[in-house]
Amino acid sequence: IAAIECLSWMLHVKKTIPIDQAFQALVYDQNSTEVIKEPLDHFSCIEIIKWLQSNAKQENERLFIVEWRYLPLFDRNNGLVPLTLEKYLVEKPDFFCQVIQLVFHSKNEETSVAESSEEKKRIAENAYNLLYKWRKIPGSDANGEIDGETLKNWVKEVKKRCEESGHLQIALDQIGKVLAHAPEDPEGLWIHKKVANVLNEKDHDAMRAAFTCELFNERGVHGWTAGAGEIALVKEYRKKAEMVDHEGYFRLAGALREFWQNR
């Protein structure tokens, strides 16, 4: 605690802090998988983690450990984003599949009646937390530019691995949710065309369903409008469906229309 407070003070007075000392203060036991839910001085921890993300960008392995251990503190409202963990998710399909397997049961296995250990429960909870906070699009670079082939290859590898492990449907669901946070296309379409291409593929029904549901959820909490808000949303998504239909993404357009018809 004293080390973290000291490093935080050094940051406040604009002094350079030793990178190794910052990592050691946050993760004093490198072999522990303990998740730090409520550190005594979480504001100082947040400051130090942000500083490390900006000043130790090449320390991927150590940043990975720090972000995993302190993931409950990460919140886009406080500006703390799990940059390294997201980088692993979008660049390493095997890591994404491992996270999926930590959280969800395989359809290939019978439901176990044995209770998980407390440690396994904490790891599963943290893995779910990571998926919930995930926003970076697979195939995107540091500037947010999306490479279509990289995205397709990432999805292809995930599907192969998760089909084998019995997690395909839930993997498609999680991918659909994150693709709902894709940027607009540079040519003006409301969704990036490289993302729309993936969503429109024939066997991606589960992905499209999760995508449309996440779009709806992302609108946030709205006050009572006597139905006016819902009517406006229906018109908005009809227009979006028409736009992607016009571009040839007819399966995606159909998913958008079906979602609103069933509400």
Side-chain angles (χ1 to χ4, degrees):
I1 303 302
I4 289 175
E5 291 177 346
C6 179
L7 292 171
S8 178
W9 174 82
M10 291 175 69
L11 289 177
H12 276 293
V13 296
K14 310 299 182 183
K15 288 191 175 183
T16 301
I17 65 176
I19 288 177
D20 287 341
Q21 188 175 343
F23 277 119
Q24 187 174 3
L26 291 169
V27 187
Y28 47 86
D29 182 359
Q30 295 289 329
N31 296 319
S32 173
T33 58
E34 178 188 2
V35 176
I36 310 298
K37 290 189 175 182
E38 295 182 3
L40 294 179
D41 191 352
H42 63 279
F43 292 111
S44 294
C45 290
I46 289 171
E47 280 188 313
I48 296 169
I49 294 170
K50 286 182 179 179
W51 185 87
L52 283 172
Q53 287 180 326
S54 297
N55 295 275
K57 295 180 180 179
Q58 304 306 315
E59 298 277 357
N60 285 332
E61 290 187 9
R62 292 202 286 181
L63 281 171
F64 179 97
I65 294 173
V66 166
E67 291 183 5
W68 175 261
R69 295 279 300 278
Y70 288 86
L71 190 58
L73 294 184
F74 282 70
D75 188 335
R76 280 172 166 76
N77 292 326
N78 63 27
L80 191 58
V81 178
L83 300 174
T84 308
L85 292 175
E86 287 196 339
K87 178 181 172 69
Y88 274 59
L89 281 175
V90 304
E91 293 183 359
K92 301 177 182 292
D94 58 330
F95 175 64
F96 170 76
C97 295
Q98 288 171 14
V99 173
I100 289 290
Q101 292 170 33
L102 285 172
V103 180
F104 303 100
H105 290 292
S106 167
K107 72 171 186 178
N108 297 338
E109 301 173 359
E110 294 184 4
T111 303
S112 175
V113 296
E115 292 187 4
S116 299
S117 66
E118 287 301 316
E119 181 180 8
K120 287 184 178 180
K121 288 179 180 179
R122 287 195 298 269
I123 292 173
E125 181 180 340
N126 218 40
Y128 178 82
N129 197 4
L130 174 57
L131 292 174
Y132 180 78
K133 294 176 178 178
W134 177 31
R135 294 292 183 272
K136 188 175 177 64
I137 306 300
S140 60
D141 59 21
N143 298 318
E145 298 294 330
I146 300 174
D147 182 274
E149 284 305 309
T150 302
L151 172 57
K152 285 184 178 180
N153 290 335
W154 184 93
V155 172
K156 181 179 179 181
E157 183 64 22
V158 165
K159 288 169 64 178
K160 176 184 175 183
R161 290 174 178 268
C162 288
E163 177 69 41
E164 294 171 352
S165 69
H167 295 87
L168 179 59
Q169 291 303 304
I170 192 62
L172 293 176
D173 178 83
Q174 295 299 314
I175 296 170
K177 288 179 180 179
V178 77
L179 293 185
H181 301 280
E184 295 181 358
D185 191 81
E187 296 181 1
L189 187 63
W190 62 271
I191 180 174
H192 203 292
K193 291 182 180 180
K194 302 293 177 59
V195 172
N197 282 330
V198 170
L199 286 165
N200 198 61
E201 290 187 17
K202 184 177 181 180
D203 58 344
H204 287 176
D205 290 340
M207 190 187 297
R208 286 189 290 272
F211 172 84
T212 53
C213 187
E214 183 72 3
L215 280 183
F216 176 78
N217 291 336
E218 278 300 297
R219 72 187 185 124
V221 178
H222 290 257
W224 186 73
T225 60
E230 291 293 320
I231 292 172
L233 276 172
V234 170
K235 289 181 178 179
E236 176 187 349
Y237 281 90
R238 279 179 181 170
K239 182 178 180 181
K240 286 184 174 182
E242 291 173 1
M243 292 174 70
V244 292
D245 204 351
H246 179 73
E247 294 288 338
Y249 307 118
F250 60 91
R251 294 190 184 94
L252 176 56
L256 288 166
R257 293 187 179 109
E258 181 179 0
F259 178 83
W260 285 104
Q261 287 172 357
N262 293 334
R263 291 204 62 77

